[in-house]
Amino acid sequence: MKNYLIQIIEDDPSVKKLLEITFREYQFNSISCESKKSAIIMFLSHNPDLLIVDLGLPDGDGKVFIKQIREISKIPIIVLSARHDEKEIVAALDAGADDYITKPFLVNELLARIRANLRRNKEETTLSDTITCGNLEMNISSRDIFFQGQLLKLTPIEYELLKYFLLNANKTLTHKQILKEVWGVGYQNEMQYLRTYVNTLRKKIEQNSTRPEHIKTESGIGYRFYCNNERKN
Ligand code: CA
C-alpha cells in the first residue's frame, strides 16, 4: 500500500503536533505549514495526496486558499476548524472543500474521513465501470443503477441526483452544490426541488424512507450520502 502524503495547514502548534503524531502512527506521511502563502508553495513543490486546512490562518482565511487550490487541482481537502457556524461550514464546502470537521475533533473520525476521501479520489481516477454502495450498484457505461440486484426505474432528475450522490459518497454536499450540479446554474436556491426529489429517491432506495441509511440530512447544510463499503486496500 502506498504511503499517502498529507499536507497540514495549521497555525496552532498543539493541533499541528497532534496531527503529525497521529499521521505518523497511522502510516501517513505528512508535511506542515502555518500560512496560506507557504501552503501554496509547499503544495506546488510536494504534490500531496490530501490537504487538512485550518480556516483562521495568520495571513488570512483558509477559504481563499481552498479556492486557489480548486482552480488548479481536484485534491481532497478537509477543513479542520474551530468555527462551528453552519454558514461558515457551507461557505467552506462551497469554496471547494470536500469535508469539514470541527475542533475539538475525534482522531478516529478524522482518520475515517481521510480514508473515505482518499478512496473516493482513487475511484474517480481509476477507470472502473461500476460504482458499488451497499445494495446499490451503478454501471457507468450503460448508465443503469441497480438496487438489490434489480434495475431501478428512475426519472431523469432522480437518476442525475442519485448519480451525483454515488460519485460523492460519504461527503457533505451543500444544498447549493447539489442544485447547481444536478439542475444547473440558476437553480441554486430552489431548495424545494431538492427536498422533493430527495423524498422520492428515498422511497426507491431506502429500506425505510423515514429512517434513511443512505441519504442523510445534514441540518442547515445539505445532505450526505452514506456508503459503508468495506474495501481491501
Ligand atoms: Ca488557526
Side-chain angles (χ1 to χ4, degrees):
M1 190 175 121
K2 180 192 170 196
N3 275 352
Y4 289 104
L5 178 63
I6 299 176
Q7 181 182 347
I8 305 161
I9 299 102
E10 172 64 75
D11 61 319
D12 180 333
S14 59
V15 176
K16 201 171 80 171
K17 191 91 207 146
L18 171 64
L19 291 172
E20 286 168 352
I21 291 168
T22 305
F23 292 155
R24 199 174 312 141
E25 192 184 334
Y26 289 87
Q27 265 123 56
F28 289 112
N29 295 321
S30 73
I31 44 176
S32 27
C33 55
E34 291 94 40
S35 69
K36 272 189 330 184
K37 198 170 165 222
S38 55
I40 290 275
I41 297 165
M42 187 179 264
F43 174 82
L44 294 173
S45 54
H46 288 79
N47 191 25
D49 297 295
L50 183 139
L51 301 176
I52 302 284
V53 183
D54 179 26
L55 294 182
L57 296 169
D59 58 347
D61 196 307
K63 292 196 290 297
V64 177
F65 167 71
I66 294 171
K67 280 187 188 149
Q68 287 173 324
I69 291 296
R70 274 294 167 257
E71 284 173 15
I72 53 172
S73 169
K74 290 177 80 179
I75 183 173
I77 301 176
I78 299 178
V79 168
L80 186 61
S81 173
R83 301 178 188 170
H84 287 76
D85 183 36
E86 276 170 12
K87 277 202 191 104
E88 194 62 33
I89 297 176
V90 169
L93 294 168
D94 282 340
D98 294 288
D99 221 328
Y100 194 107
I101 297 175
T102 51
K103 294 175 188 166
F105 61 97
L106 298 170
V107 164
N108 281 338
E109 182 175 9
L110 176 67
L111 290 168
R113 302 277 186 97
I114 288 174
R115 287 192 204 101
N117 277 282
L118 287 170
R119 194 189 305 135
R120 181 174 51 244
N121 196 46
K122 205 169 91 191
E123 276 166 11
E124 275 175 15
T125 47
T126 49
L127 289 167
S128 163
D129 200 41
T130 51
I131 297 176
T132 311
C133 168
N135 45 18
L136 282 163
E137 194 177 292
M138 178 167 93
N139 185 304
I140 310 267
S141 50
S142 72
R143 296 172 56 95
D144 290 332
I145 302 180
F146 298 88
F147 175 61
Q148 295 176 330
Q150 304 276 347
L151 181 66
L152 260 183
K153 289 204 175 74
L154 299 167
T155 66
I157 294 276
E158 286 169 355
Y159 175 83
E160 290 302 326
L161 181 59
L162 182 54
K163 185 174 113 183
Y164 185 61
F165 278 143
L166 283 165
L167 290 171
N168 292 282
N170 300 317
K171 174 170 159 179
T172 300
L173 301 165
T174 67
H175 298 121
K176 244 188 190 170
Q177 281 176 321
I178 305 170
L179 284 160
K180 190 172 140 224
E181 292 301 323
V182 176
W183 277 266
V185 179
Y187 287 87
Q188 279 103 314
N189 297 314
E190 304 289 348
M191 300 271 280
Q192 195 49 45
Y193 285 18
L194 180 56
R195 250 180 243 127
T196 304
Y197 276 92
V198 162
N199 283 335
T200 63
L201 205 49
R202 275 176 175 156
K203 292 198 179 104
K204 295 188 179 182
I205 64 160
E206 302 283 2
Q207 308 282 7
N208 178 349
S209 61
T210 55
R211 287 173 54 205
E213 282 170 15
H214 285 305
I215 312 174
K216 303 253 193 191
T217 302
E218 301 248 319
S219 187
I221 298 168
Y223 296 95
R224 183 186 285 260
F225 192 84
Y226 274 87
C227 276
N228 322 309
N229 291 344
E230 280 313 315
R231 306 245 170 148
K232 319 126 227 134
N233 247 326

